[in-house]
Amino acid sequence: MPISERVKKLKSSATIAISTKSKEMQAEGIDVINFSIGEPDFQTPQNIKSAAKKAIDENYTHYTATAGMLELRNAICGKFKKDNNLDYCPENIMVSSGAKNCIMNILLAICNYKDEVLLPIPFWVSYYSQIIMTDAIPKFIEPEGDDFKISTKNIEKNISSKVKAIIINSPNNPTGIVYTRMELEEIAKLAIKHDLTVISDEIYEKLIYDKTEHISIASLPKMKARTVVINGVSKAYAMTGWRLGYAAGPEKIIKSALKIQGHSTSCANSITQRAVISALLEKDDSVEKMRQEFEKRRNFLIEKLNSIPNIKCAIPKGAFYAMPNVSYYLEQNKKGVKTSANLCDFLLENYHIALVPGSAFGIEGFVRFSYANSMENIKKGVKRFEKGLKNLLD
Ligand SMILES: Cc1ncc(COP(=O)(O)O)c(C=O)c1O
């Protein structure tokens, strides 16, 4: 059976491998604490579920417009105006089966064979694979300093005539960092100077802490015309399984991406689309309650991690991830645990905690914790983490 060269270049997902292994261990009766989860451990708010049930009863069960129902796209435009002070019209919006699907459609719409896409390290795993799937080339940008942010110097070093776009993800998976207005202004200047399209993934916008301000790079002067904003409901409304994301950008790019969508998925799920209209238009405090709970967990986890000898963890300002630096333990142990992947295996097998190695996100010397887990499990799990690290050096 022939397999394409494109697919041969793809790596299978490290997060799925870890999650599968920890589920197998749980099935054997082992109490594994799973810190590798990439979705909120909350339920979809009731008003959204009711809207979906109503949608079925009212027979919203057919194909919709490829770009999504007009009423939904209007609601999305309203969200952009309210949250980001961005003026879009429905022609600027594409509703897809998840933010992941939006990014794929946009990359396919803008990239040619061997074009380059700037990808800051550490990166969410699917960006890398999706760039490969479009036959473009990911061009990595090294982070600078302890907070993982990219500098304009490192961006500029990688710019050539082949570079088409840059991906910005703030709040970030896997680090939780959030770019400030000033930092985004610097990136914007470069995007304008080098005529780059910016793909700005803002899916964790609603999960943001310490009263940090979320800025959409599209809202900066002259940026709306060259930015595609990616957002969705998976993280904000605990709707990962409903599969709906949306992109907002220049009509020419959205129209082109819709050609791809029209011939691949046709449109996002019609029932979900109706439910998301309710999510965006109706007031409900469950999103804020979820955010507050994440903030409590983050505060606890970061304090505990930073109290472990020789562990340093940058304070995440958003999302539900933390990336402590574990390089001291990798360098000092005599048990052959040399990489972040070795460490994750060691901790899963011996201390029954599932973490994702930094190498999955393009960076060594770090592991990713997801705090989409109960406070009780976080307390137990972080103790196991500390014990495991101590044991490595014994
Ligand atoms: C940074 C980032 N973007 C996009 C997605 C995908 O979101 P969706 O469920 O809407 O496809 C994820 C999911 O983990 C993510 O972490």
Side-chain angles (χ1 to χ4, degrees):
M1 275 270 181
I3 298 294
S4 74
E5 291 308 313
R6 185 186 302 113
V7 169
K8 285 184 197 159
K9 282 192 246 164
L10 296 180
K11 297 177 195 147
S12 45
S13 161
T15 35
I16 291 175
I18 288 153
S19 179
T20 309
K21 190 164 175 192
S22 63
K23 275 184 195 143
E24 280 166 12
M25 288 170 72
Q26 279 165 340
E28 288 165 23
I30 301 169
D31 160 39
V32 177
I33 296 176
N34 193 351
F35 285 119
S36 71
I37 300 166
E39 59 181 338
D41 55 320
F42 295 88
Q43 302 308 336
T44 304
Q46 190 53 52
N47 67 313
I48 301 174
K49 293 198 269 196
S50 303
K53 289 176 195 163
K54 191 159 169 258
I56 296 174
D57 290 340
E58 290 176 354
N59 297 314
Y60 284 100
T61 52
H62 303 274
Y63 292 131
T64 71
T66 305
M69 291 171 183
L70 185 60
E71 198 179 341
L72 173 57
R73 283 181 289 141
N74 275 323
I76 292 168
C77 293
K79 174 253 162 305
F80 276 114
K81 182 68 189 161
K82 181 162 93 22
D83 294 345
N84 315 103
N85 197 26
L86 278 165
D87 287 300
Y88 286 117
C89 54
E91 289 69 34
N92 298 113
I93 307 293
M94 169 177 68
V95 176
S96 304
S97 308
K100 194 181 259 185
N101 187 207
C102 287
I103 302 165
M104 189 75 224
N105 290 339
I106 296 294
L107 284 170
L108 283 167
I110 63 177
C111 290
N112 284 315
Y113 177 65
K114 285 203 169 167
D115 277 346
E116 293 178 352
V117 178
L118 298 178
L119 184 57
I121 293 175
F123 46 80
W124 176 51
V125 285
S126 291
Y127 299 141
Y128 174 85
S129 302
Q130 293 196 337
I131 295 168
I132 299 284
M133 284 194 275
T134 60
D135 287 333
I137 299 171
K139 204 83 209 283
F140 301 119
I141 308 176
E142 295 289 335
E144 219 158 78
D146 283 347
D147 66 0
F148 306 102
K149 287 184 176 170
I150 47 167
S151 64
T152 47
K153 186 181 87 211
N154 285 357
I155 300 178
E156 202 132 37
K157 248 183 10 200
N158 284 290
I159 291 195
S160 70
S161 57
K162 291 184 193 154
V163 174
K164 274 282 168 68
I166 179 168
I167 298 183
I168 299 294
N169 173 214
S170 175
N172 182 273
N173 176 8
T175 63
I177 61 158
V178 175
Y179 280 92
T180 64
R181 180 184 292 275
M182 255 170 63
E183 289 160 347
L184 290 173
E185 278 168 357
E186 291 304 310
I187 297 171
K189 263 191 224 158
L190 283 186
I192 294 166
K193 181 172 161 196
H194 298 286
D195 195 20
L196 303 181
T197 298
V198 177
I199 300 175
S200 179
D201 182 348
E202 303 175 13
I203 189 123
Y204 292 98
E205 171 186 26
K206 297 282 178 198
L207 300 176
I208 200 157
Y209 316 117
D210 299 332
K211 301 198 167 61
T212 305
E213 194 186 8
H214 167 79
I215 305 290
S216 174
I217 194 166
S219 67
L220 301 180
K222 299 197 184 135
M223 286 305 290
K224 198 173 134 212
R226 61 174 62 254
T227 303
V228 179
V229 181
I230 307 290
N231 210 322
V233 293
S234 283
K235 318 288 172 170
Y237 300 95
M239 291 179 73
T240 47
W242 296 67
R243 309 310 300 131
L244 191 140
Y246 49 90
E251 203 177 326
K252 191 171 160 197
I253 295 185
I254 295 295
K255 248 191 179 162
S256 309
L258 283 172
K259 283 192 198 165
I260 313 269
Q261 176 150 299
H263 292 295
S264 50
T265 57
S266 296
C267 62
N269 178 300
S270 59
I271 298 149
T272 301
Q273 290 192 47
R274 291 296 299 172
V276 172
I277 295 171
S278 289
L280 295 176
L281 295 184
E282 291 168 14
K283 259 196 158 331
D284 184 85
D285 61 359
S286 21
V287 175
E288 174 55 16
K289 280 193 186 142
M290 177 170 81
R291 192 202 65 76
Q292 287 174 9
E293 179 58 29
F294 276 134
E295 186 159 7
K296 265 193 234 155
R297 296 174 187 179
R298 178 206 65 151
N299 293 346
F300 176 83
L301 176 67
I302 300 304
E303 198 200 317
K304 287 289 169 203
L305 289 175
N306 279 324
S307 70
I308 300 174
N310 301 303
I311 287 288
K312 261 195 303 197
C313 187
I315 299 177
K317 297 284 185 182
F320 40 73
Y321 308 106
M323 280 272 279
N325 185 330
V326 292
S327 34
Y328 176 86
Y329 291 89
L330 299 181
E331 284 154 18
Q332 298 299 321
N333 81 83
K334 296 198 172 53
K335 296 192 172 156
V337 175
K338 294 295 168 214
T339 63
S340 53
N342 294 158
L343 179 62
C344 290
D345 284 342
F346 171 84
L347 291 169
L348 182 55
E349 274 161 32
N350 301 293
Y351 290 87
H352 305 156
I353 52 172
L355 300 167
V356 186
S359 53
F361 310 105
I363 195 164
E364 251 314 336
F366 294 83
V367 291
R368 189 193 74 175
F369 276 77
S370 156
Y371 47 91
N373 211 324
S374 69
M375 198 62 153
E376 194 193 337
N377 277 345
I378 294 171
K379 282 182 186 164
K380 265 203 288 186
V382 80
K383 271 190 198 150
R384 293 184 192 181
F385 180 63
E386 182 166 11
K387 251 190 177 171
L389 292 179
K390 192 164 171 289
N391 176 262
L392 260 188
L393 300 187
D394 285 344

